Amino acid sequence: MWPNIWRDDMDQITIETGMQDISSGTCVQFVPHSHEANFLDVEPRNSCWSFLGQPGGSQTISSQGPGCMWSGVAVHEFMHTLGFVHERSRSDRDRYVTIVWDNIMQEHIHNFRKHATSNLNSPYDYDSVMHYGSLIQALPSLKLPKPDPYISSGQRDGPSDLDLHKINVLHNCGR
C-alpha cells in the first residue's frame, strides 16, 4: 500500500521516511497506488489520526499541523493502519502504567480504554512509538511506569526494535 499524498515536497519526504522506517525492518512494503482497491490516503485534515486496521477501500490518515510532520508520527499512524493500538491501551497495561482518569480531558477518554489484545507474546514497550508520555491528552494522565516512575516512556523518533518485531509477528514476516 502507498498513500495518496496531497502535500508539499518536505511533507512527502517526511511521510516516505516513516514508511521506510517500517519497510526496512519488516516485510511490510508500501507501493505506489495505481488500481488497488485498498489503499492509504494521507490528507491534511484535522490533527494526526488514523483508523485502526485496514477496513478496506480508501483509508484516510490525517496529518495536519506542525506536530504531525515528523517521520515518527507518520510511523505511529501507519502502525495504527497495520492494526496496532496505543501501548497504554494493551489488555495488560495496568501492570505497567496507572491511568489517572480524573485528569483526562473528556474528549480523549476513548484513547485510554483498554483493548482486548493478544500483545503478540511481547513485553510491554515503554520505548514504543505507540506509547505516549505521561502528559499527553491530560495533566498528568499516566503515572509511568510501574514499578519505577523514572524510566522514560514514549517517543516519536521511529519504531522501536520491539515495534518492528511485533509488526513482523502480526504480519507473518518470518524475520
Side-chain angles (χ1 to χ4, degrees), residues 40-103:
L40 302 176
D41 185 14
V42 179
E43 297 182 13
R45 290 204 181 174
N46 55 339
S47 189
C48 319
W49 56 264
S50 175
F51 295 105
L52 181 61
Q54 180 67 27
S58 172
Q59 179 167 342
T60 301
I61 296 175
S62 176
S63 59
Q64 176 69 31
C68 297
M69 292 315 327
W70 298 93
S71 61
V73 173
V75 168
H76 178 97
E77 299 308 332
F78 286 127
M79 283 189 65
H80 280 313
T81 69
L82 292 170
F84 292 91
V85 300
H86 295 132
E87 197 73 1
R88 67 171 183 227
S89 296
R90 286 171 50 136
S91 60
D92 64 347
R93 64 107 187 271
D94 293 332
R95 294 183 358 210
Y96 304 98
V97 296
T98 300
I99 306 297
V100 184
W101 293 100
D102 290 341
N103 291 350

Side-chain angles (χ1 to χ4, degrees), residues 27 35 53-54 59 80 86 102 126 144 150 161:
C27 67
H35 62 280
Q54 180 67 27
Q59 179 167 342
H80 280 313
H86 295 132
D102 290 341
Y126 292 108
L144 295 172
Y150 300 106
D161 290 341

Side-chain angles (χ1 to χ4, degrees), residues 75 79 125 127-129 155 158-166:
V75 168
M79 283 189 65
D125 186 7
D127 194 41
S128 172
V129 74
Q155 51 86 17
S160 69
D161 290 341
L162 196 49
D163 286 332
L164 295 174
H165 169 76
K166 289 188 282 191

Side-chain angles (χ1 to χ4, degrees), residues 1-2 19 77 85 93 99 121 124 127 156:
M1 58 188 147
W2 184 272
M19 290 186 289
E77 299 308 332
V85 300
R93 64 107 187 271
I99 306 297
N121 295 316
Y124 193 88
D127 194 41
R156 292 297 176 270

